Amino acid sequence: MVLLADPDAPTEIAQRMAPILPTRLADKSGQGRRFDVEVVSEPFTSGTEDPPTLMRRIMDRGRAENWDIVVALTDLPLHSHGRKLVVDLSHEHGLALLSLPPLGGLRLQTRARRAVEEAVLGLAGPRATGADGPPQSQPLLGPFVGRFAPVHPVPVSEEETADLRYVVSGPRGHLRVLVGMVRANRPWRLVPGLSKALAAALATGAIATVNSTIWNLAEALSAPRLVIAMVGSVALMLGWLIVDAQLWHRSAEVSREARQRARLYNASTVMTVGIGVLVCYGGLVVINLVWALFIINDRVFASMTRTPLHATEYVTLSWFVASVATVGGALGSGLESDDAIRAAAYSKREQERRQMLQDDHGD
């Protein structure tokens, strides 16, 4: 069998599960069967997010290479008739298409492995309704569905390559897909991509920490105003990054599914970039606090603010300076490489995959 994985996160997940799959599948099959697992990484979703089209691509690829079973992994959120697809299966051709975002953001590796195991065992096992009928009564993914509801089966058109489909639905399903998309984006990778913005923020914070006007402002501001300053600075940097790097997804299609995809893309982008900015903000608070402990003289501070310098004053000052520094970082983010920031957006990663496929054909 072959794990056909999109580049980046799906390939990493496939490579981590591949060494243990043969033993686990052999033990679970209980028929003395042996499974050889190969990982193939290629952008098979390039240019389309239509499940029937992807299933035909996978089928053609499997036939060309004479693969017995193909399980394709992608981190794109796929839709089918307004529902969010988890897995498409074709027992006749030995194919499975698994979308990772509906598995959620926690324990993704374990959930993906269990889904692959259930899919392979279902594809390799006996059919429930004979050779000519779709195995709709087969309890495929039964443990997976029970453990990770709200996944449930839906009917499949006879014209499609797939004969069994599982989807997620409802508010919980929508939330799982959104969290899974953010997890697939790996927002912690955005922080190294903001190196120039961080440099500008650190420089701003270092100067602001020793400024007596900032001392007086920090002492004069109440906690609600400090919160407003924090939210405003984070929102400013978040908005600037999205606008400057052109992360906002606008679909040229007018269909309902296209609008749903655009909303998902934009929500995941806002959450991904927002998490990255909040991580930067938290780091600035800690760095500013350490810098203030090292540089500020308590007698000078007390003479300028008429307030003794205690732990509360250190924390308040560091908090306010982090907000000021974040605004400086937003200005410095204009020097960032758009490619580093665009990696946080699904739609931009799809463009990269298209370019990768074009380069391969050009070679």
Side-chain angles (χ1 to χ4, degrees):
M1 63 158 290
V2 170
L3 295 175
L4 181 64
D6 260 340
D8 206 9
T11 296
E12 294 177 8
I13 290 173
Q15 289 174 340
R16 282 196 292 265
M17 72 170 71
I20 61 176
L21 273 180
T23 301
R24 292 182 62 88
L25 290 172
D27 292 342
K28 288 188 174 184
S29 66
Q31 301 173 1
R33 303 185 64 175
R34 185 171 64 90
F35 294 83
D36 295 322
V37 179
E38 178 185 355
V39 177
V40 176
S41 177
E42 64 182 46
F44 70 92
T45 58
S46 178
T48 184
E49 298 174 14
D50 179 51
T53 302
L54 293 176
M55 287 294 284
R56 288 193 294 271
R57 282 187 181 180
I58 298 167
M59 181 178 65
D60 293 341
R61 188 77 169 88
R63 284 177 175 175
E65 300 292 340
N66 198 28
W67 293 332
D68 295 326
I69 294 177
V70 184
V71 179
L73 306 178
T74 180
D75 55 359
L76 290 177
L78 303 177
H79 295 76
S80 175
H81 304 292
R83 299 184 178 97
K84 298 167 183 64
L85 177 72
V86 180
V87 62
D88 258 358
L89 300 119
S90 173
H91 294 75
E92 178 182 357
H93 304 288
L95 309 176
L97 170 62
L98 178 64
S99 177
L100 296 176
L103 303 184
L106 300 176
R107 303 175 65 231
L108 179 59
Q109 182 70 41
T110 300
R111 291 180 176 184
R113 175 177 53 77
R114 288 174 177 171
V116 169
E117 290 173 0
E118 296 294 335
V120 172
L121 292 174
L123 295 173
R127 296 168 61 92
T129 59
D132 298 326
Q136 295 178 356
S137 62
Q138 186 171 341
L140 180 64
L141 300 185
F144 173 74
V145 172
R147 190 178 293 113
F148 304 121
V151 180
H152 56 88
V154 294
V156 183
S157 171
E158 294 182 359
E159 290 77 19
E160 294 191 33
T161 304
D163 50 40
L164 189 58
R165 171 171 295 153
Y166 283 85
V167 300
V168 293
S169 58
R172 285 181 58 202
H174 182 87
L175 180 61
R176 282 165 61 90
V177 173
L178 181 58
V179 173
M181 290 175 67
V182 174
R183 169 64 175 79
N185 282 338
R186 296 185 284 188
W188 55 87
R189 298 200 311 182
L190 184 65
V191 178
L194 298 177
S195 57
K196 294 182 178 64
L198 281 174
L202 290 172
T204 302
I207 296 172
T209 301
V210 298
N211 188 292
S212 60
T213 302
I214 297 295
W215 297 352
N216 285 295
L217 283 173
E219 289 302 310
L221 291 176
S222 61
R225 290 191 174 186
L226 288 170
V227 172
I228 293 173
M230 177 184 69
V231 173
S233 62
V234 169
L236 177 63
M237 188 167 189
L238 171 62
W240 178 257
L241 289 172
I242 291 176
V243 171
D244 184 56
Q246 300 179 356
L247 297 181
W248 199 254
H249 179 74
R250 293 181 176 85
S251 176
E253 304 177 28
V254 295
S255 65
R256 179 185 175 187
E257 290 191 12
R259 292 196 300 269
Q260 288 181 341
R261 286 197 299 269
R263 286 195 292 268
L264 271 176
Y265 285 142
N266 292 330
S268 68
T269 297
V270 170
M271 290 182 63
T272 301
V273 180
I275 290 173
V277 173
L278 285 173
V279 170
C280 293
Y281 188 94
L284 287 172
V285 172
V286 174
I287 293 173
N288 290 331
L289 178 60
V290 173
W291 175 239
L293 288 170
F294 173 76
I295 201 68
I296 297 179
N297 182 278
D298 55 350
R299 290 191 298 272
V300 174
F301 183 89
S303 67
M304 298 298 297
T305 63
R306 303 181 185 278
T307 303
L309 183 60
H310 299 305
T312 303
E313 283 67 37
Y314 277 116
V315 173
T316 301
L317 177 62
S318 302
W319 186 6
F320 180 60
V321 168
S323 299
V324 175
T326 301
V327 174
L331 299 176
S333 65
L335 302 174
E336 295 287 359
S337 166
D338 287 349
D339 291 338
I341 303 173
R342 286 175 182 171
Y346 264 103
S347 57
K348 301 303 179 182
R349 294 215 305 208
E350 173 65 7
Q351 291 180 14
E352 292 174 3
R353 287 170 178 164
R354 294 180 190 181
Q355 186 62 47
M356 184 187 302
L357 196 62
Q358 291 174 1
D359 293 342
D360 291 342
H361 290 328
D363 295 339

